[in-house]
């Protein structure tokens, strides 16, 4: 999922959902790393089943090893496969590159087990950057700086409630709490949606929403543009709105009242109506997601 990049962890409601997020983030990071290695060595995804096979293999390995150890297994396997390809000793795998790599992973793992040798834990590759979601999750929520070297903790060991406290403390600092008017912002028109207030300033549409809602939107639409942890977390959310801040419920209620009492035009342009209806429908259909 290169989706979720800035979750609202204040609404993770169970240890199981917290564990699932941890496991899924690790899975996506390993897939990014392994795919980059496969592309670098010019192996190809030739079949629709190739990517699911890799994912299933990673999931199995995560029950036994840390992400760093799994990266090590694939790192060695891909290079062994490349050597076999170069020497012409890879048999009938010419059109089954991924199967051959996975075969090498299994052989390497089996050899280490038989010789009672530990599998090394590699560092996260320097040529790649972790996603913004990964940074936020492990720095601010899980408080686990060594996640790449450690196995995923069992569901019963996650310690969700202990982990949530710092997030609640930080949430107030991230949200704009008090509405004091919109200052110098021009208001051409505005409209209300189930996911926030949209204000057009004559040039762009601004979205005012709380963090829970922005995270739910991120689940559906993902992000575009270049990630930069120094930027506003939702700046590159893949929506036709400009998002500068996140806002508390108190702020949003005051903003709504201000607009209703004002003489500004409430107007939903036809070009926006279709997108609004589609996004509201997607968010409604996925209300069961426990985030």
């Amino acid at each position: 999922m290169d989706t979720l990049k800035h979750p609202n962890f204040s609404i993770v409601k169970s240890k199981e959902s917290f564990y699932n997020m941890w496991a899924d983030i690790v899975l996506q990071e390993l897939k990014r790393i392994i795919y980059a290695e496969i592309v670098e060595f010019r192996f190809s995804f030739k079949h629709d089943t190739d990517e699911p096979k890799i994912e299933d293999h990673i999931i199995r390995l995560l029950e036994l090893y840390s992400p760093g150890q799994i990266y090590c297994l694939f790192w060695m396997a891909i290079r062994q496969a490349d050597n076999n390809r170069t020497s012409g000793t890879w048999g009938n795998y010419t059109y089954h590159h991924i199967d051959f790599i996975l075969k090498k992973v299994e052989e390497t793992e089996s050899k280490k087990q038989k010789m009672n040798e530990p599998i090394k834990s590699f560092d996260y590759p320097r040529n790649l950057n972790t996603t913004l979601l990964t940074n936020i999750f492990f720095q601010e929520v899980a408080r686990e700086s060594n996640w790449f070297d450690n196995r995923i903790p069992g569901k019963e060991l996650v310690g969700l409630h202990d982990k949530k406290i710092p997030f609640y403390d930080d949430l107030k600092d991230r949200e704009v709490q008090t509405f004091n008017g919109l200052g110098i912002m021009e208001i051409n028109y505005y409209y209300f949606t189930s996911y926030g207030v949209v204000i057009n300033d004559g040039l762009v549409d601004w979205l005012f929403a709380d963090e829970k809602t922005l995270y739910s939107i991120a689940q559906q639409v993902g992000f575009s543009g270049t990630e930069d942890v120094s930027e506003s977390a939702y700046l590159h959310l893949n929506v036709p709105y400009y998002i500068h801040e996140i806002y508390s419920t108190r702020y949003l209620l005051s903003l709504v009242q201000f607009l209703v009492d004002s003489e500004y035009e409430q107007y939903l342009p036809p070009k926006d109506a279709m997108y609004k209806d589609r996004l509201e429908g997607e968010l409604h259909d996925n209300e069961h997601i426990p985030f």
Side-chain angles (χ1 to χ4, degrees):
M1 127 191 117
D2 203 20
T3 55
L4 324 178
K5 301 203 178 177
H6 188 57
N8 183 330
F9 295 100
S10 65
I11 50 175
V12 175
K13 295 180 179 178
S14 69
K15 286 189 176 185
E16 182 175 5
S17 61
F18 187 71
Y19 165 84
N20 289 339
M21 291 191 72
W22 186 316
D24 193 64
I25 289 170
V26 169
L27 172 62
Q28 301 310 319
E29 285 289 354
L30 282 171
K31 285 167 61 177
R32 291 176 64 242
I33 293 169
I34 291 166
Y35 290 175
E37 292 282 340
I38 289 171
V39 171
E40 180 181 350
F41 280 83
R42 301 184 304 282
F43 287 107
S44 301
F45 293 89
K46 294 180 175 292
H47 307 282
D48 293 339
T49 57
D50 284 345
E51 291 189 25
K53 284 181 179 179
I54 290 177
E55 181 168 313
D56 289 344
H57 213 86
I58 294 172
I59 291 172
R60 180 187 72 79
L61 292 173
L62 282 171
E63 296 179 359
L64 302 171
Y65 306 110
S66 71
Q69 288 175 303
I70 296 171
Y71 173 36
C72 174
L73 285 172
F74 274 92
W75 189 94
M76 291 190 292
I78 290 169
R79 282 152 181 80
Q80 291 168 7
D82 183 55
N83 290 337
N84 287 126
R85 177 178 57 183
T86 300
S87 61
T89 56
W90 65 339
N92 297 321
Y93 285 95
T94 303
Y95 299 103
H96 300 278
H97 295 186
I98 302 305
D99 286 346
F100 192 61
I101 290 171
L102 294 178
K103 176 175 179 289
K104 288 298 179 181
V105 170
E106 292 175 349
E107 290 176 354
T108 302
E109 180 190 10
S110 177
K111 180 179 178 180
K112 293 289 185 181
Q113 290 175 345
K114 288 180 180 178
M115 298 183 67
N116 199 27
E117 291 183 359
I119 297 173
K120 294 181 180 179
S121 181
F122 281 6
D123 294 334
Y124 194 97
R126 294 181 179 179
N127 61 316
L128 295 177
N129 295 317
T130 52
T131 66
L132 183 56
L133 169 64
T134 302
N135 293 337
I136 291 171
F137 182 85
F138 288 111
Q139 290 175 16
E140 297 188 17
V141 183
R143 303 286 178 170
E144 177 54 75
S145 61
N146 205 30
W147 65 272
F148 200 68
D149 290 328
N150 294 331
R151 289 174 56 186
I152 299 174
K155 294 180 183 180
E156 72 283 358
L157 300 175
V158 168
L160 168 66
H161 300 295
D162 292 338
K163 302 296 186 183
K164 286 173 63 179
I165 294 172
F167 178 80
Y168 283 114
D169 292 340
D170 294 341
L171 180 61
K172 193 170 183 178
D173 294 332
R174 290 203 304 276
E175 288 186 334
V176 179
Q177 298 289 320
T178 304
F179 178 78
N180 293 315
L182 293 176
I184 62 173
M185 175 183 281
E186 297 291 334
I187 300 179
N188 188 32
Y189 59 82
Y190 69 91
Y191 59 88
F192 301 129
T193 75
S194 66
Y195 50 84
V197 179
V198 176
I199 296 177
N200 178 277
D201 67 359
L203 296 174
V204 298
D205 293 326
W206 297 70
L207 176 62
F208 294 76
D210 63 277
E211 190 169 8
K212 174 184 176 182
T213 301
L214 290 174
Y215 173 60
S216 297
I217 294 174
Q219 296 269 331
Q220 302 305 312
V221 304
F223 287 73
S224 62
T226 304
E227 297 173 9
D228 185 341
V229 295
S230 67
E231 294 178 334
S232 176
Y234 293 100
L235 183 62
H236 297 296
L237 195 61
N238 194 22
V239 293
Y241 307 118
Y242 187 82
I243 301 169
H244 180 61
E245 301 280 1
I246 55 177
Y247 302 90
S248 67
T249 301
R250 178 172 58 184
Y251 181 100
L252 293 172
L253 289 173
S254 298
L255 173 60
V256 169
Q257 190 62 54
F258 167 79
L259 292 172
V260 170
D261 292 341
S262 74
E263 296 181 355
Y264 297 115
E265 180 183 12
Q266 182 175 349
Y267 170 65
L268 176 60
K271 68 179 180 63
D272 293 353
M274 185 177 298
Y275 181 85
K276 170 183 173 291
D277 291 344
R278 184 173 73 249
L279 182 55
E280 287 181 332
E282 290 173 351
L283 293 173
H284 179 269
D285 291 342
N286 288 277
E287 284 179 344
H288 64 281
I289 295 177
F291 303 112

